[in-house]
Amino acid sequence: MPVTRGFTGRPDRRPDAQPGQRGRRIPPGQYDAGEQWPSLTAEATPQLDPERWTMTVDGLVATPRSWTWREVHALPGSGYEGDIHCVTTWSKLDMRFRGVSVDTLLEAAGPLPEAAFVMAHSTTGYTSNLPLADVTGGRAWVVWEVDGRPLPVEHGGPVRLLVPHLYFWKSAKWVTRLELMATDRPGFWESNGYHDRGDPWLEQRYQGDP
Ligand SMILES: Nc1nc2c(c(=O)[nH]1)N[C@H]1C(S)=C(S)[C@@H](COP(=O)(O)O)O[C@H]1N2
Ligand SMILES: [Mo]
């Protein structure tokens, strides 16, 4: 997959964009992007047809499960209101996303005891790896709505993963599959030097960071 524009974005140096302006909400080394929402995509943006898209949970589960667009919308809805943090140093505050909790999907599939990590797969082949503990406990969603509107295609529409407490590269756009694994395996950016976990409060940007 080719690596293109955007991933090495410069921090915004406007005086009103400095960290600390909005209390302790902005992790170290991040700035408040304000109204801007940069789009960062390594691959060509896919035109994903909701009628053909499915969401699958498989790997180390008791029962591999798949949901169609209609089926996933019939699940109990869930959302996130809060901030997102990109490793290129922009943070965006007070976002509102709606979709379904990853807990709901995992409960239906029944993770096996040895499942400890998850690989998120996009329809495009983009991947990101996550500890299972980071996508359970009400901290991760599969979302299709932002600020009351359908998720724009450049931001992963019609559907993306959202794991807002980790750097945003973990939140795979155009997500289609969560694969449960016993051992960790690097995803796309993790194979290119980024951290396996990516906690913005610990500044886990690159492999080798604490
Ligand atoms: N499929 C896919 N998902 C992806 C990416 C990507 O290149 N492809 N980029 C990641 C990165 S680095 C970030 S910061 C966010 C960017 O999301 P946005 O474009 O909605 O801001 O998506 C993440 N998910
Ligand atoms: Mo990013």
Side-chain angles (χ1 to χ4, degrees), residues 5-202:
R5 64 209 171 268
F7 201 64
T8 53
R10 277 209 146 86
D12 189 332
R13 294 300 181 206
R14 290 172 304 160
D16 64 349
Q18 293 308 305
Q21 278 258 316
R22 294 171 77 166
R24 296 170 189 278
R25 288 179 59 180
I26 300 183
Q30 298 290 115
Y31 73 94
D32 179 355
E35 294 305 305
Q36 292 176 55
W37 186 4
S39 168
L40 288 107
T41 307
E43 71 273 41
T45 298
Q47 296 300 319
L48 202 158
D49 179 0
E51 291 301 316
R52 298 180 61 191
W53 171 87
T54 53
M55 186 66 217
T56 294
V57 176
D58 64 4
L60 294 175
V61 294
T63 317
R65 293 290 306 266
S66 286
W67 295 263
T68 63
W69 182 253
R70 194 185 310 265
E71 287 165 348
V72 89
H73 281 71
L75 294 170
S78 179
Y80 168 75
E81 294 187 20
D83 310 338
I84 57 176
H85 312 287
C86 172
V87 73
T88 62
T89 75
W90 55 267
S91 290
K92 201 163 158 49
L93 308 185
D94 298 317
M95 309 283 293
R96 285 187 300 122
F97 290 94
R98 292 290 305 173
V100 64
S101 172
V102 169
D103 290 304
T104 304
L105 304 179
L106 292 179
E107 278 162 22
L112 296 178
E114 58 268 37
F117 297 92
V118 175
M119 187 70 80
H121 296 263
S122 301
T123 59
T124 56
Y126 180 94
T127 49
S128 69
N129 55 308
L130 298 130
L132 183 58
D134 278 308
V135 298
T136 50
R139 295 199 294 170
W141 293 262
V142 167
V143 296
W144 45 79
E145 202 180 284
V146 62
D147 295 333
R149 295 216 173 82
L151 190 66
V153 65
E154 69 272 20
H155 293 301
V159 59
R160 78 180 297 162
L161 183 65
L162 177 71
V163 190
H165 71 286
L166 299 179
Y167 282 124
F168 210 33
W169 88 77
K170 296 289 179 182
S171 297
K173 303 195 278 191
W174 315 293
V175 70
T176 188
R177 178 181 174 212
L178 297 177
E179 176 196 7
L180 278 74
M181 317 184 289
T183 52
D184 205 5
R185 199 168 88 217
F188 175 70
W189 282 117
E190 295 81 5
S191 302
N192 285 282
Y194 286 83
H195 199 276
D196 280 317
R197 178 145 186 271
D199 182 336
W201 295 97
L202 301 175

